Structures are given as structure tokens and as C-alpha cells.
Amino acid sequence: MFTLIIEDKLGAIVDEYSFEDGEFIIGRSQQADIVLLADNVSRQHARLFTVDGRCFIEDLKAANGVWLGGKRIYNVTELPRSAQVRIGDFFLHIEGAAYARPLGPAVYARLVPAPGSIGELTELSQPTMLVGRGKDCAIVLPDVSVSRIHSKITQDASGTVSVEDLRSSNGTFVNDHRIDQQELQHGDRVRFGTVGFSFQVDGMPEVATQEAEPYEPARPLQRAAQPSPPAHPAYNVYAPMEPVAPGPRSRSVLPQVAAVAVIVVAVIGLIVLVGFAYDRWVVPALQSRAGAAPAAAAAPTPGSEPAPQAPPATPAATFEDLLSRGQDAVARRQWDEAESLFKQARRMDPINQRPTEALNMIAMEKRAGARFAQAEEAFAHKDFATAIRQHRMIPQSSVYRADANAALDAIAGVLEIDGDAVCAAKNYAACQEKYSLALSTGFASPAVEQKYAKALKNPTK
């Protein structure tokens, strides 16, 4: 016989169940077997079931996870005696369970983003996870250096985690060495293109993340000096010709073809190098000089009319000017204008990382702005749950974070007023829902917690 007691975050008992065997779905949906009404509980959050007198719990890929003894679980896990499970704001006390034992090996590992990286903290909770720029990947990295499907991270039955490069353009690196496939160890630095992470395993000493190494294109290898060939007429074309005994003449043309190919490649390389240097340094210098030099106006002769002057030519924008104008557009939240300016700067200097970093930031801000707009639209239609969820998904580093916090504060106030009204009408179910949503904003006043605890003591229909 098992006994399940459910408490909310204030310690009030919400419900109690007794069971011997069976399977129960826990979630926010009214179709769930055990209903937990809170915004941080998924519609189908977890599965509780028994096998041969033993009780197990499984996370159904819920956004906020299932926590046992203060640690998040990922596999089906047998519950210990007097177990305490946390789901959202609720604590589940299960009496009569035996002991904890996960079904199958589990490695609790994560990818921690390097300072300045666009990556996010990622729990490696699935046996296979694709990494790439494409939306169908489990780990999405919206960076131009990352291929659409870049790498694959796998965890085998023994708990070993490995990373495999999937023929990406800019490669996958472990501790700054490009790899095809490699097993990961705690503290390894992993880089997909230019996006860096630290691989860390729970229970191991925390490793300080390091600044990602700047990405530089590979330099051509310098060929080592070869020993001089033997001084024989057959190998040294510069040696004086000695009489050679008549014999069959070699008809091979491979040496001549190879020599011509080397000369052609060298000429093409020289042309490319000169063209790059001309575009990179000479053209900007000439344009800058032409724009800076004022046109000397000829002195008019007495009685003659001054010659009309042509409008001065606008000097070509420099790399630093494009960056400055892009930052100004960012400050005004003109994301399309800023994106265009930083793309021009990147074309002017492809090696410099500042335009790429700015473009990554702009992509993040565009997503945050879209979330803020969706939240405002949901609030206008009184869909408070969606508005709260969209506001809370805006990153802390976004310029929209302060606006989102102000909106959450306002939503908490509206929900408190609505909750007071339905509580006065003795509609305690709606009252509890209003107060619960207000608390989920993180900006509710302490009075709301007291009102919510009081509402929970009233029976609901």
C-alpha cells in the first residue's frame, strides 16, 4: 500500500491518495489522473506507476522537470522510502516505497556556455542529441559558423558521452583539437564552429569556463626544406650535361606537367593575394583620401561669374563607421537597420569577430522582441498564462527584460484584483487559479501568498 500526500509551496496539504498498483499521469491538464494547477506544471508532467509492489516515477519530458531529493531525474527511477518529489510548486510525499534505483545507467551532464558565447546552458538528457543551426536539432545554435546539422552527442548504455562531427563546414573541436568523434571527459572544452561550451558532469568539481579562443582561418602549411637531389644529369637540370651512353629515350611527360601545374597555381595564388590586398587596403585608402581632400576652388576673375561647384563626394563608409552606426541602430532598437550595417562590416572584414557577435546578439533580440509582442497580444486578450510564459522566456541579457518585468508586475496586480473579486463571489476554484497565476509571475505581493493559502482551505466544486 502506498500513500501519496501533495503539498503546495506554502506547506498546505492539497490532496491525498492511497493505492496499491496502477499507473497515474500527473499534470496540469484536467484529463490527468492527478491534477496540479500551476503554470510551471506541464499538461502531462510525470507518470507514477507500480511494478511488483515497487513504485516508480518517470519524467514525461516536462519543461521544469521532476526533482527527487533536490536532484533532477531523467530516467525512470524507483522511489525511496518516504520519498519527496518536487513537481513545479508542489511537493509529493510518497510513503511505503522501498528504495531508489534508476532503471538503466544515467549520466547527469550538461554543456555550460563559455563567456561571451551565444550558447545556453543545456542538460544532456537524451540518448542522442543533434547540434546545429537547424530548428530540427535538439541543441539549436543560431550562428553562421555552425552548420544546419553540425554534430551529434550520444550517451551509450554504460553512461559514456561522446561527440561526433557530422561533416560540418567549420568543424567540431574538443580542447581546441578538431575531431571526428571523441569521448568527452568532465571539464573538456567543446566548440561547434566558434560557439564554445564546457562539458560538466554532476557530482564532479565545478570547472571554471574559459573565454572561447578567437576563430582564425587555417594558415597554409609551410613545406619543409627538402634535401638537394643527387648531382646527376637525370635529376639536376642545372648541372652541366655530360655525355650519356645512348639508350632508350624516356617518353614520360609527368615532370613537365607537374612543373607547369605548380607555376599555374603559384600565379593564381599571387593574383588572388594581390587582389585581396588591393581591395582590403588600397581601395579604402584611395576613397578616404578622395573624400577628405577638399576641392580647390579657382579664384574668380573680376567681372566673371563663379563657376558652379559640384557637390562633394560622400566618402565610403569605413569598418569602424559601420560598427558605430550599427551600435546606434541597436540603441534605437532598429534591428533590421543594425543587421544590414553589421553585415556590411562583416563583408568588409570577414576575419573580425565583432560584426558576427553583434549579428548573433541582434538575432537574440529579434526573438525576444517577438516574444514580448506575443505576450502583449495575449495580455490584450486576457490570456494571462500565455502572457506570463512569453515574458518569462525573454533572456535576462535582453533589452526587453526590463519591459517584461514591468509587464509581469502589472499582470500580477490585475490577477490579484480579479482573484479578490471571484473569491468574494465564493468561486474558490477560479480564485485559486487567479492567485496561482499571480504568484507564477514572480512579482506578486506577499499578501497574494496569504490569500492563496486561505483560498486553498475552502472547498472547490
Side-chain angles (χ1 to χ4, degrees):
M1 173 70 70
F2 299 97
T3 301
L4 171 64
I5 301 173
I6 303 175
E7 294 182 356
D8 63 11
K9 65 179 182 179
L10 301 176
I13 297 178
V14 177
D15 217 331
E16 184 174 339
Y17 299 86
S18 295
F19 59 94
E20 290 187 359
D21 55 15
E23 176 177 308
F24 310 92
I25 300 298
I26 304 172
R28 191 178 73 247
S29 171
Q30 294 295 334
Q31 282 72 41
D33 301 304
I34 300 174
V35 180
L36 302 179
L37 291 175
D39 189 53
N40 53 9
V41 177
S42 299
R43 295 181 61 83
Q44 291 190 341
H45 199 109
R47 181 170 69 104
L48 185 71
F49 63 98
T50 60
V51 176
D52 297 331
R54 297 153 60 191
C55 189
F56 299 86
I57 194 165
E58 178 186 8
D59 182 3
L60 298 180
K61 297 182 179 180
N64 295 309
V66 177
W67 300 77
L68 174 62
K71 189 171 185 177
R72 186 168 182 172
I73 63 171
Y74 298 95
N75 294 41
V76 176
T77 302
E78 184 175 356
L79 294 174
R81 189 180 305 277
S82 300
Q84 177 177 281
V85 177
R86 180 166 64 86
I87 294 179
D89 291 335
F90 297 90
F91 293 91
L92 283 63
H93 302 272
I94 297 136
E95 301 291 339
Y99 54 91
R101 180 175 61 202
L103 295 182
V107 170
Y108 302 102
R110 61 178 64 87
L111 291 178
V112 180
S117 173
I118 67 165
E120 298 180 353
L121 180 66
T122 303
E123 302 283 354
L124 303 181
S125 58
Q126 303 175 23
T128 302
M129 300 181 74
L130 292 178
V131 182
R133 199 174 66 248
K135 294 182 179 179
D136 50 346
C137 294
I139 303 175
V140 180
L141 303 177
D143 188 272
V144 293
S145 67
V146 179
S147 300
R148 192 180 69 82
I149 300 179
H150 196 104
S151 302
K152 179 175 68 173
I153 298 176
T154 56
Q155 175 183 337
D156 60 21
S158 64
T160 300
V161 179
S162 60
V163 61
E164 178 184 357
D165 185 74
L166 299 179
R167 298 183 180 179
S168 63
S169 301
N170 295 311
T172 303
F173 298 79
V174 176
N175 297 326
D176 299 325
H177 295 287
R178 187 164 185 167
I179 57 94
D180 291 326
Q181 183 173 6
Q182 182 168 324
E183 178 182 338
L184 295 177
Q185 304 294 332
H186 176 68
D188 281 348
R189 300 188 308 278
V190 185
R191 177 158 54 86
F192 308 99
T194 62
V195 183
F197 293 88
S198 171
F199 175 76
Q200 299 190 15
V201 179
D202 280 1
M204 302 291 288
E206 186 173 351
V207 178
T209 54
Q210 300 180 3
E211 187 75 30
E213 294 290 334
Y215 174 75
E216 295 183 0
R219 297 180 179 178
L221 297 175
Q222 300 294 329
R223 192 177 297 276
Q226 300 293 332
S228 301
H232 190 279
Y235 298 97
N236 192 351
V237 295
Y238 298 104
M241 298 297 294
E242 297 289 342
V244 181
R249 180 176 297 177
S250 173
R251 297 183 179 180
S252 175
V253 295
L254 289 178
Q256 292 86 342
V257 172
V260 172
V262 170
I263 294 172
V264 171
V265 171
V267 171
I268 293 174
L270 181 60
I271 293 172
V272 172
L273 181 61
V274 171
F276 174 78
Y278 182 80
D279 291 339
R280 179 65 179 84
W281 290 291
V282 177
V283 171
L286 292 176
Q287 291 175 340
S288 177
R289 184 177 302 174
T301 57
S304 65
E305 300 232 346
Q309 298 291 328
T314 303
T318 64
F319 178 77
E320 294 296 337
D321 179 47
L322 289 171
L323 291 184
S324 176
R325 290 163 55 192
Q327 292 295 345
D328 178 65
V330 166
R332 292 183 282 109
R333 300 188 185 183
Q334 299 296 322
W335 307 121
D336 292 337
E337 178 186 348
E339 185 177 39
S340 175
L341 290 167
F342 283 118
K343 283 183 177 180
Q344 293 180 50
R346 186 172 60 184
R347 286 194 296 270
M348 186 175 291
D349 190 351
I351 299 176
N352 196 303
Q353 287 297 301
R354 286 187 291 171
T356 300
E357 293 171 357
L359 288 169
N360 293 336
M361 179 272 294
I362 290 169
M364 182 270 290
E365 293 292 1
K366 279 188 168 183
R367 292 194 299 272
R371 290 191 184 281
F372 186 82
Q374 292 170 9
E376 292 294 288
E377 182 178 359
F379 178 75
H381 292 86
K382 295 187 178 182
D383 184 1
F384 298 115
T386 300
I388 293 170
R389 182 170 60 255
Q390 293 294 343
H391 279 312
R392 296 191 66 175
M393 291 177 68
I394 294 175
Q396 291 293 332
S397 59
S398 172
V399 297
Y400 293 97
R401 185 64 262 172
D403 297 337
N405 289 342
L408 287 170
D409 190 16
I411 292 173
V414 170
L415 288 170
E416 181 179 1
I417 295 173
D418 290 351
D420 294 344
V422 292
C423 273
K426 297 184 179 181
N427 185 353
Y428 296 115
C431 173
Q432 293 172 12
E433 182 179 1
K434 297 289 185 182
Y435 289 148
S436 176
L437 282 174
L439 290 171
S440 70
T441 64
F443 288 84
S445 64
V448 176
E449 294 189 5
Q450 299 173 4
K451 294 175 182 178
Y452 181 55
K454 183 178 180 180
L456 289 174
K457 297 177 181 178
N458 294 297
T460 58
K461 296 182 180 180

